[in-house]
Amino acid sequence: MKKSLFAALLATCFAGAAGAVTEAEVDASFLPYKNGFPAFPGLQAGLVINKDNVEKFKDILDYANYLTVKNGWREIKVGPTFDFPNPKGYVEETKKNAGKTKLGTKIGEISGFTGGRPFPEEPSVSDPRAGEKLAWNFKYGINWGDNAAVYPFYWKYRNMTTGQVERTLKFNFHFLNFKYRTDHPPIPGVTPNASNLYRGIYVNTLEPQDLKNTQLLIQKYDDDTKLDDAYLYLGFQRRVRRLATGQVTDSFLGADLMIEDFEGYESRVSDMKWTFKGAKNILMPYYKHNEMKLTDEFKDPSGYKFIDFGGQGGCFADITWQLRKVYEVDVEPLNPNHPVGKRVMHFDAQIFGASRTVIYDRKGELWKSFTIGKAHPDHHLPINKGTGIGLDDSFEMVDVQAKHCTTGQFKGQIDPKLSPPNLFQVQNMRGGD
């Protein structure tokens, strides 16, 4: 009894603690390479890591990436490490509010947060709730900023053994932050917002014909303990239906990923147990789009070209990787019926993108390897230059058990006009009726 009481008091102590955060700590959070970029013996730009030399570099590869190289499925081209920016308004808001955010007594509860990065201080493995703080940094991170669109977005379903492309889907994805906006008007939030939404995601399927006008709307509440709302519009049925909670962990339109996988992780902080394992330097898929190998397959009217794919079955983006500081976090579902046993997520220390995730099944066996390639905004479309938004630019979800993959090729645009607030209402989904 005394032990349980002590544990409860200890948890409350850690939850309420929100000590002073210095400007130097905030600067270190956004500029982790101020005193130099990480290095590793034998690693240099231009090197190709393959099955013949992968053992030398095992310590800077996550487990799934190591296996894909060791198996000869992919090679990793090493590029130079360089800074990725953060939006100026987001950084300033973090400085203004540093030290004000506190965790509640339960996972998913937070107080004092008004914008920016909630916990910019360096995490410590001795803090039992450090992983949860990193989860909040990810949730309130700058992924796509205040508003953006992937316009268009190509997905391919591939047989990893034969290389056969089974299906190609074409989407438009739209993103909007209703609250905590820092760089694009309206600042700090979209009004009216009677439901107190934090973020919206809207998806419209353009091709193939049998899925055309299939739409998905996700409304994320600012209250993390409140379940997200998700709605699906099926064009051939001409009706909107609300998705049950469990359906966000089903395969999305037959892909190797589920709605919960969007952007690295698309559910609530309160749905998971977050355990910080430590900071480390690993190779991450960060690059300059205009310097990569691009494909002529898609004839975009603007002349824009998408990232090319290769490797086993065409499942792997043909990009360069750079050595970057990450925070490794074990993410375990609290729901015992969840199909995932554990995710090992690697949050980039500078921009908090979840670009490498290793997914295990309920038996503890490796299931999937998830990569989201990040492109520097100043080496992309002109509209993205100077935005300070690291752009999702390619993805690969590789099911290592089924030898199957889903790949994604983005045309990301930081353009508020593409994501007006009315796009994120259920009524909009019926607009084509």
Side-chain angles (χ1 to χ4, degrees):
M1 182 69 178
K2 289 183 179 180
K3 185 177 180 182
S4 298
L5 179 62
F6 176 76
L9 290 172
L10 184 64
T12 302
C13 177
F14 273 110
V21 179
T22 67
E23 187 164 332
E25 286 179 299
V26 176
D27 286 341
S29 182
F30 289 111
L31 300 170
Y33 310 121
K34 187 175 182 179
N35 297 320
F37 294 111
F40 188 82
L43 190 77
Q44 58 184 355
L47 175 74
V48 176
I49 301 176
N50 55 35
K51 61 182 180 180
D52 296 325
N53 63 2
V54 68
E55 296 299 332
K56 297 179 183 178
F57 304 102
K58 185 176 181 179
D59 291 342
I60 54 171
L61 295 170
D62 62 72
Y63 177 63
N65 235 0
Y66 163 72
L67 284 184
T68 58
V69 176
K70 183 179 180 180
N71 290 341
W73 297 346
R74 80 162 336 137
E75 296 181 341
I76 289 181
K77 301 175 183 177
V78 179
T81 302
F82 47 79
D83 273 306
F84 265 69
N86 281 270
K88 293 179 181 178
Y90 184 81
V91 175
E92 289 305 312
E93 193 69 16
T94 302
K95 291 180 178 179
K96 185 172 73 174
N97 300 313
K100 296 180 182 179
T101 305
K102 299 181 181 180
L103 296 177
T105 55
K106 298 179 180 178
I107 298 176
E109 295 179 343
I110 197 171
S111 64
F113 176 70
T114 56
R117 185 170 289 174
F119 299 100
E121 63 272 22
E122 185 71 12
S124 170
V125 290
S126 63
D127 177 358
R129 300 187 72 180
E132 191 181 340
K133 293 175 182 176
L134 293 170
W136 284 107
N137 285 353
F138 174 66
K139 173 175 178 173
Y140 290 126
I142 51 88
N143 201 21
W144 291 117
D146 296 331
N147 30 238
V150 185
Y151 199 91
F153 190 1
Y154 291 96
W155 288 22
K156 289 191 174 184
Y157 301 175
R158 305 172 186 257
N159 183 310
M160 191 173 166
T161 302
T162 66
Q164 177 189 1
V165 176
E166 300 164 344
R167 202 163 209 205
T168 300
L169 279 63
K170 181 181 180 182
F171 301 97
N172 285 339
F173 269 61
H174 303 261
F175 308 90
L176 176 74
N177 285 356
F178 285 87
K179 297 185 70 173
Y180 313 120
R181 300 170 61 85
T182 59
D183 289 81
H184 288 101
I187 296 172
V190 174
T191 56
N193 183 12
S195 298
N196 197 26
L197 298 175
Y198 161 56
R199 196 162 190 257
I201 300 173
Y202 170 71
V203 181
N204 193 3
T205 311
L206 307 177
E207 297 175 4
Q209 186 63 36
D210 64 315
L211 292 177
K212 187 174 182 179
N213 205 33
T214 296
Q215 302 167 58
L216 173 70
L217 174 64
I218 301 172
Q219 296 175 327
K220 300 184 69 64
Y221 291 94
D222 192 35
D223 179 356
D224 190 82
T225 64
K226 188 174 182 179
L227 288 170
D228 297 342
D229 285 335
Y231 302 89
L232 188 68
Y233 175 89
L234 300 174
F236 63 90
Q237 291 184 345
R238 298 173 66 84
R239 69 182 182 92
V240 176
R241 63 183 178 89
R242 187 170 180 170
L243 295 183
T245 304
Q247 290 180 277
V248 299
T249 55
D250 292 340
S251 168
F252 180 65
L253 299 182
D256 293 287
L257 66 162
M258 46 187 142
I259 293 172
E260 190 178 89
D261 292 318
F262 287 5
E263 300 181 274
Y265 175 73
E266 195 44 69
S267 285
R268 304 177 301 167
V269 173
S270 54
D271 287 330
M272 301 286 160
K273 176 184 176 183
W274 306 82
T275 306
F276 176 49
K277 307 300 288 186
K280 62 197 303 186
N281 297 323
I282 66 169
L283 287 167
M284 292 284 276
Y286 283 45
Y287 53 85
K288 297 176 181 178
H289 176 97
N290 293 340
E291 296 180 7
M292 297 298 101
K293 181 183 178 183
L294 306 175
T295 179
D296 293 319
E297 178 182 1
F298 306 110
K299 306 301 180 184
D300 192 82
S302 70
Y304 177 84
K305 295 185 178 181
F306 295 78
I307 291 294
D308 203 3
F309 276 73
Q312 180 66 41
C315 289
F316 300 92
D318 195 349
I319 55 176
T320 56
W321 296 61
Q322 56 180 256
L323 191 63
R324 297 183 64 83
K325 178 183 177 181
V326 302
Y327 301 121
E328 183 178 319
V329 180
D330 282 358
V331 185
E332 299 172 87
L334 297 177
N335 179 359
N337 297 317
H338 196 287
V340 169
K342 180 178 73 172
R343 290 180 173 92
V344 180
M345 300 185 72
H346 300 87
F347 296 126
D348 184 79
Q350 186 167 33
I351 66 172
F352 266 88
S355 289
R356 277 297 303 150
T357 300
V358 183
I359 303 172
Y360 295 86
D361 64 17
R362 299 296 303 183
K363 297 178 182 178
E365 297 175 355
L366 178 63
W367 182 12
K368 297 177 183 178
S369 175
F370 192 15
T371 301
I372 302 176
K374 286 278 189 181
H376 194 290
D378 295 349
H379 304 269
H380 202 268
L381 290 167
I383 196 170
N384 297 325
K385 188 173 183 179
T387 61
I389 306 291
L391 306 165
D392 287 359
D393 198 56
S394 61
F395 87 72
E396 60 202 46
M397 178 67 88
V398 179
D399 186 329
V400 300
Q401 295 183 7
K403 300 296 188 295
H404 197 272
C405 69
T406 301
T407 62
Q409 292 151 288
F410 298 68
K411 182 185 176 184
Q413 302 176 64
I414 309 301
D415 184 353
K417 296 191 298 295
L418 295 176
S419 296
N422 65 346
L423 203 61
F424 301 86
Q425 305 300 325
V426 176
Q427 296 88 326
N428 171 72
M429 303 176 80
R430 302 188 181 98
D433 288 355

